[in-house]
Amino acid sequence: MLDWNDIEARGKQGIACNDAEALQVTMLTDEADLTRLYATAEAIKLHHKGREIYTCGITNAKSGLCPEKCNFCSQSAHFRTDSPKYALKDADTMAAEARKAAAHGVREFSIVSQGRAMTKQSELDELKKAFTMIREETGMQTCASLGLMSKEHLAELKESGMDACHHNLETARSFHHNIVESHSYDDEVATIKAAKEVGMYVCSGGIFGMGEDWGHRRELAEDLRSLDVDSVPINFLNPRPGTPMADKSELTPTDCLKIIALYRLMLPTKDLIVCGGREMNLQDKQYEMFAAGANGIMLGNYLTTAGGELDEDLAAIEAQGLIIRPPPHTPNAPVQTS
């Protein structure tokens, strides 16, 4: 039997549930047990995060014809899909998208690019201009997801105002080879460590529903804890036509809520941000995610798929007595370089 009071007390101290407890959580099916699980996860979340909700938005800044082979991704050149294809957007365009997102309650804006890594100096320079503009004009936390980046390039971008680095592990080490065929799990880990070494806020999580089991889900949470990432994006597979996962549909709304609650118990102090695939997989239970331990949400569109109605998301946040965490910077303040 799970001692929920003890799990909650330890979670409020920042202590993760142990392996045996995590295993028991994954096997819960009774509605009363699940209700207690969600209540415990929410209590731990409220203790560490209060009623503030972390909101983020993204721009698909460079799209299509990616040389990497990630079997969930419609941007891979290895698959025949209808993914859009275009070069890196200019800084003015990216900054304009950030201003629009900020006006709708988004506190963090992430620039996402396809490719193994962004290494061309001309593209890095355009990103640096964009980060500087976004920080100065909106005060938003700036983020980017640029592939397997080196410590040197991340330090260069941080100097221009890039606050955070997003780089998903995608799935557990022991399952990774089934999902990503063009680079290794250790390559993913090296990027996360490089971002931490230069002092960035690090966002790393995965995609659930790609054929992994509950053991893999626990394993991923353990790796994220050992890497001490700052936030964990929780994505649920939205299968894309033309990819090897086009026909996968494995998750129920209850599975999704259990994953969120499990990750709150295993990562009690971290920001848990529910991102891609939530509308499709959580269905009419999607706004129960906040009562299951999540304290963040991606607003607007995703990388290659449309998101939900922004007004509906904001109304749901307000209806639950939650508030959006304000941006971390003061608009129109020059970026401070070291």
Side-chain angles (χ1 to χ4, degrees):
M1 289 288 292
L2 289 163
D3 186 337
W4 293 113
N5 291 330
D6 186 50
I7 293 172
E8 179 179 329
R10 282 182 282 130
K12 288 179 176 179
Q13 295 174 52
I15 301 170
C17 66
N18 61 44
D19 293 342
E21 291 165 337
L23 175 60
Q24 289 184 68
V25 165
T26 66
M27 295 187 291
L28 296 177
T29 57
D30 182 80
E31 194 62 36
D33 290 334
L34 292 172
T35 297
R36 188 61 195 272
L37 165 65
Y38 305 148
T40 302
E42 183 184 32
I44 294 170
K45 177 202 72 177
L46 289 173
H47 178 82
H48 292 290
K49 304 298 178 180
R51 306 201 71 82
E52 284 192 337
I53 294 297
Y54 184 115
T55 56
C56 63
I58 65 172
T59 177
N60 186 5
K62 180 183 179 184
S63 181
L65 299 178
C66 179
E68 298 299 292
K69 191 176 183 183
C70 303
N71 288 327
F72 56 85
C73 185
S74 64
Q75 294 202 64
S76 174
H78 296 269
F79 315 131
R80 298 185 66 178
T81 73
D82 60 0
S83 176
K85 301 171 182 63
Y86 50 81
L88 183 68
K89 296 175 181 177
D90 61 49
D92 287 337
T93 298
M94 291 186 276
E97 292 178 354
R99 289 194 299 271
K100 182 177 179 180
H104 288 92
V106 177
R107 76 171 301 276
E108 184 203 66
F109 190 75
S110 186
I111 295 171
V112 183
S113 172
Q114 59 87 322
R116 186 174 182 86
M118 186 165 286
T119 57
K120 291 182 181 178
Q121 193 59 49
S122 60
E123 293 183 328
L124 292 170
D125 288 343
E126 200 66 30
L127 284 180
K128 289 191 287 185
K129 282 191 267 185
F131 289 132
T132 299
M133 293 172 69
I134 293 167
R135 279 275 298 270
E136 292 183 356
E137 294 174 13
T138 71
M140 300 169 86
Q141 179 170 302
T142 53
C143 178
S145 181
L146 306 171
L148 303 172
M149 296 294 285
S150 69
K151 180 179 177 180
E152 292 72 24
H153 283 143
L154 288 172
E156 181 181 348
L157 293 170
K158 184 175 186 293
E159 190 77 8
S160 69
M162 177 177 162
D163 297 308
C165 175
H166 171 273
H167 189 82
N168 279 344
L169 291 174
E170 309 302 5
T171 190
R173 177 185 288 276
S174 63
F175 196 69
H176 188 264
H177 64 281
N178 295 298
I179 306 302
V180 180
E181 299 184 36
S182 50
H183 57 267
S184 72
Y185 195 82
D186 286 326
D187 291 331
E188 317 271 27
V189 169
T191 297
I192 292 168
K193 289 182 175 179
K196 287 187 67 68
E197 286 172 9
V198 302
M200 286 182 171
Y201 175 97
V202 177
C203 181
S204 181
I207 304 172
F208 300 94
M210 298 193 294
E212 80 286 347
D213 60 28
W214 282 101
H216 296 125
R217 293 165 188 168
R218 299 198 319 273
E219 181 188 342
L220 175 59
E222 290 163 359
D223 280 355
L224 293 167
R225 184 170 63 214
S226 69
L227 288 167
D228 194 27
V229 300
D230 298 291
S231 75
V232 177
I234 295 175
N235 299 274
F236 305 114
L237 182 68
N238 183 348
R240 297 290 82 211
T243 70
M245 297 192 177
D247 298 322
K248 276 199 177 296
S249 179
E250 302 183 343
L251 298 174
T252 67
T254 297
D255 290 332
C256 297
L257 293 175
K258 277 177 64 176
I259 289 167
I260 294 167
L262 174 66
Y263 271 54
R264 177 55 66 197
L265 269 55
M266 296 187 71
L267 300 158
T269 65
K270 304 304 182 183
D271 287 324
L272 299 186
I273 319 298
V274 181
C275 300
R278 62 179 166 89
E279 296 90 351
M280 172 187 173
N281 288 279
L282 279 160
Q283 301 172 27
D284 61 350
K285 293 182 179 291
Q286 69 164 307
Y287 296 119
E288 294 179 26
M289 61 189 166
F290 299 123
N295 72 299
I297 184 174
M298 180 177 286
L299 298 173
N301 292 332
Y302 305 114
L303 197 58
T304 59
T305 60
E309 292 296 329
L310 194 141
D311 289 345
E312 183 179 333
D313 289 338
L314 295 176
I317 291 171
E318 183 178 358
Q320 294 186 46
L322 305 170
I323 57 174
I324 293 176
R325 188 187 302 178
H329 306 295
T330 302
N332 302 314
V335 174
Q336 297 298 312
T337 59
S338 57

